[in-house]
Amino acid sequence: MAQLCGGGVTPAINFGRLCLKQWWKSGSICQNIYIRNVSSLVVGEPDGPSVKTSIPGPKSKQLLDELSAIQQTGSVQLFVDYDRSIGNYIADVDGNVLLDVYTQISSLPLGYNHPDLLKLLDNPFNVKAIVNRPALGVFPGSDWPKKVKNILLDVAPKGLSHVTTMMCGSCSNENAFKNIFIWYRKTQRGENIDFTEDERSSCMINQSPGSPPLSILSFKGAFHGRTLGALSTTHSKYIHKIDVPAFDWPIASFPEYKYPLEEHKSENEAEDRRCLAEVEDRITEYNKHGKNVAGVIVEPIQAEGGDNAASPEFFQQLQRICKKYGCAFFVDEVQTGGGPTGKMWCHEHFNLDSPPDIVSFSKKMQLGGYYMKEEFSPSQPYRVFNTWMGDPGKLLLLQGVLSVIKRDSLLSVVQKSGEKLLNGLYDLQKEFPALLFAARGRGTFLAISCTSTKLRDDLVNRLKQKGIQSGGCGEYSIRIRPALIFQTQHAEIFLDQFRQVLRETK
Ligand code: PSZ
């Protein structure tokens, strides 16, 4: 199987299913070494990035002018040539090709134009799934029950037997909150007791007891979406929230660890205790004021808020607190779910006593939604409902994604590339202590902090000019969110370019 790389020969090699058309030529690694582990998982990927113009280039700028006349475009970075983008590489309209470690805000599991996903549309049955978008809550297709079972439940977190499909991360969280409130009231009211007349009429004018003042506890620095309910649990940036009314719901501190973790064990354990005590205090306080805490929502790694991790013990204790106070334990895996941490679900790293009550997903899963325990499913229809309730076309894509994850052992790829990336980041922070610190994360879900926001923004921008599309998170961190097909050779390119940019930093 393994081949020697040498003599400038560039044959096409078949590694089982993988046809290596491109011969890896990076001087540093093409010296009589086995190249089996540097064959790309996606046929036709370039050897590396190539940058021809400054980014955004002239065509991107022209398109930006065009769009700015009709939309707010302050967040647009560049315009993409989706036809020419492939695997880990995003091509822009100016002919630049960038190694993408940001992947559409962490939502591309298999990179661009993965042949297995394109092939799905050769099947006319699948094309019809896209053309005929159903109102799934009313008119599901004949294949829907089996598809939900065989695709979505096949990868469900252990112990969660029910699933609701939705469109995006925000609407998944938003609707899961409703499931929690409905469940909480059912447990207060008693299983088979019907709504009172007072409840029925008061809810129509947003008053108690029909609209009860229940709450969801969330954490400082959290991001759970931008729709109105979800936004009340989002606390990452003021610009997301300002001018928009919010629920008065409890907020507790999320651990802020000192790095490197091995050197600050006892301080970080004390930090866990401080935050957990705050959670209990907030729950007690809100319960006392009649704003009972029905659920606690938490990200396994706070993503938008700055890639803040907490220990498995923190999550174990948090779940125990939820049990103690009768609150639902809701893990938001919208960004962490689908494999980037090296496991399908990040909370699998935590060795919890029992499954969470609810786990939401979107992004890499292509389809939004949430898994839950049966008791969270409302007894009456239409209580959690909307027109589309998800999209069979996206479930089809997920089916393709999951079969490639299995076939190509992508969770192992993530673990291997993640180890290489994180070790590389450790080296860089040692080499540039005045610029970088706190390399952290799981799998390829990684981040590193910069010594200022200005430096972070500058590094992300200059990385782009060197052919690396990365992104920021929190106040001063750079985040790395490659696709699951990101391999060790891609990690080397990223680390080489990052080192160059750091060397050129004054
Ligand atoms: O600025 C934004 O609106 C962004 S940038 C990244 C996200 C949102 N992430 C979305 C997200 C998430 O990371 C977690 C943990 N929970 C919920 C959401 C909301 O998902 P969407 O954006 O699909 O509504």
Side-chain angles (χ1 to χ4, degrees):
M1 274 287 279
Q3 301 274 332
L4 280 178
C5 171
V9 193
T10 58
I13 305 166
N14 273 302
F15 291 140
R17 236 178 354 267
L18 304 170
C19 174
L20 186 75
K21 280 190 187 155
Q22 308 274 353
W23 189 251
W24 186 253
K25 300 189 202 83
S26 162
S28 61
I29 61 165
C30 187
Q31 290 171 355
N32 286 353
I33 54 164
Y34 289 96
I35 64 152
R36 182 171 176 262
N37 62 353
V38 294
S39 59
S40 170
L41 283 164
V42 178
V43 173
E45 258 198 348
D47 288 348
S50 67
V51 177
K52 297 185 172 141
T53 70
S54 67
I55 304 172
K59 283 197 185 138
S60 265
K61 283 186 180 151
Q62 188 197 326
L63 288 165
L64 193 63
D65 287 345
E66 213 178 290
L67 193 60
S68 297
I70 46 175
Q71 279 192 348
Q72 163 53 251
T73 52
S75 55
V76 174
Q77 296 195 24
L78 47 79
F79 283 81
V80 179
D81 184 338
Y82 283 106
D83 191 37
R84 286 182 49 249
S85 301
I86 175 90
N88 291 282
Y89 291 89
I90 183 170
D92 77 2
V93 289
D94 290 284
N96 302 303
V97 178
L98 313 179
L99 178 64
D100 192 354
V101 297
Y102 190 50
T103 57
Q104 310 291 326
I105 326 183
S106 198
S107 68
L108 264 188
L110 303 182
Y112 298 96
N113 287 310
H114 195 285
D116 286 78
L117 299 188
L118 293 176
K119 214 164 58 199
L120 288 171
L121 297 188
D122 290 346
N123 178 343
F125 186 80
N126 292 344
V127 172
K128 285 178 186 158
I130 289 166
V131 170
N132 303 296
R133 187 175 185 181
L136 280 167
V138 202
F139 302 109
S142 60
D143 55 340
W144 188 244
K146 275 203 181 60
K147 281 218 160 112
V148 172
K149 190 159 173 275
N150 297 343
I151 303 167
L152 273 174
L153 286 181
D154 190 48
V155 293
K158 223 170 104 219
L160 302 190
S161 57
H162 278 56
V163 65
T164 298
T165 52
M166 282 288 158
M167 267 69 62
C168 66
S170 301
C171 74
S172 301
N173 290 339
E174 188 90 18
N175 281 286
F177 289 168
K178 288 175 60 184
N179 284 71
I180 290 174
F181 294 135
I182 291 167
W183 160 83
Y184 193 85
R185 285 294 293 132
K186 189 169 74 181
T187 56
Q188 285 184 326
R189 200 184 271 125
E191 186 67 37
N192 293 317
I193 299 177
D194 205 357
F195 315 118
T196 63
E197 189 43 49
D198 193 14
E199 285 176 323
R200 289 172 205 234
S201 57
S202 59
C203 76
M204 298 305 289
I205 50 167
N206 303 343
Q207 300 294 313
S208 196
S211 301
L214 298 174
S215 62
I216 300 283
L217 181 142
S218 55
F219 289 91
K220 291 177 189 164
F223 188 100
H224 298 294
R226 291 169 177 267
T227 49
L228 280 177
L231 192 62
S232 286
T233 61
T234 286
H235 317 286
S236 51
K237 287 196 181 121
Y238 81 86
I239 199 72
H240 297 157
K241 293 174 70 74
I242 201 155
D243 294 338
V244 182
F247 287 112
D248 171 20
W249 287 353
I251 307 159
S253 295
F254 192 78
E256 288 181 44
Y257 291 155
K258 293 211 166 71
Y259 288 84
L261 294 176
E262 326 72 78
E263 288 170 28
H264 298 91
K265 214 162 167 286
S266 63
E267 287 140 289
N268 291 339
E269 281 170 10
E271 176 66 354
D272 278 356
R273 285 194 297 276
R274 179 184 76 85
C275 296
L276 290 163
E278 239 187 61
V279 171
E280 284 213 60
D281 286 352
R282 290 287 100 79
I283 294 176
T284 315
E285 178 192 335
Y286 272 71
N287 286 355
K288 203 169 93 197
H289 289 105
K291 296 187 172 183
N292 288 25
V293 180
V296 171
I297 185 167
V298 68
E299 292 158 272
I301 300 173
Q302 282 193 340
E304 298 309 303
D307 276 40
N308 309 315
S311 67
E313 294 73 28
F314 172 82
F315 287 99
Q316 291 160 17
Q317 291 294 351
L318 183 62
Q319 186 180 35
R320 287 175 199 142
I321 292 172
C322 288
K323 280 225 168 79
K324 179 174 164 188
Y325 291 93
C327 323
F329 180 52
F330 178 1
V331 181
D332 176 349
E333 294 249 24
V334 165
Q335 193 153 165
T336 47
T341 68
K343 292 188 189 280
M344 193 64 195
W345 304 105
C346 184
H347 74 265
E348 291 172 45
H349 291 281
F350 299 156
N351 195 20
L352 296 171
D353 299 340
S354 58
D357 295 306
I358 302 200
V359 173
S360 59
F361 56 83
S362 191
K363 294 212 188 240
K364 284 195 171 56
M365 295 289 282
Q366 305 299 290
L367 180 75
Y370 46 100
Y371 296 104
M372 61 193 161
K373 292 181 180 158
E374 187 177 1
E375 66 248 42
F376 285 85
S377 199
S379 322
Q380 304 87 349
Y382 286 110
R383 295 190 75 186
V384 175
F385 186 86
N386 62 36
T387 305
W388 283 324
M389 296 291 294
D391 182 351
K394 300 297 175 202
L395 190 62
L396 194 68
L397 281 182
L398 178 62
Q399 182 175 24
V401 167
L402 294 174
S403 77
V404 174
I405 289 178
K406 275 191 195 144
R407 185 195 69 198
D408 293 350
S409 307
L410 292 186
L411 296 183
S412 310
V413 171
V414 166
Q415 287 159 21
K416 213 163 132 203
S417 307
E419 196 183 325
K420 173 140 204 140
L421 266 177
L422 187 57
N423 284 330
L425 292 176
Y426 287 147
D427 290 344
L428 288 176
Q429 73 185 14
K430 233 186 252 159
E431 222 172 306
F432 302 96
L435 306 178
L436 299 177
F437 66 102
R440 60 196 181 276
R442 292 181 188 277
T444 53
F445 198 101
L446 300 172
I448 191 158
S449 295
C450 307
T451 42
S452 74
T453 306
K454 190 165 160 283
L455 173 66
R456 189 272 307 277
D457 294 346
D458 181 45
L459 289 176
V460 167
N461 184 38
R462 283 191 293 123
L463 270 169
K464 195 179 295 173
Q465 311 304 325
K466 289 247 191 277
I468 308 289
Q469 174 68 56
S470 64
C473 64
E475 252 176 79
Y476 45 69
S477 294
I478 296 179
R479 75 172 121 180
I480 302 163
R481 296 286 193 279
L484 308 176
I485 50 155
F486 186 87
Q487 297 165 271
T488 50
Q489 70 268 29
H490 303 109
E492 284 184 24
I493 295 173
F494 169 79
L495 291 166
D496 283 351
Q497 298 306 316
F498 198 12
R499 178 171 280 107
Q500 286 236 14
V501 164
L502 291 162
R503 278 193 185 134
E504 289 160 15
T505 302
K506 302 282 174 325

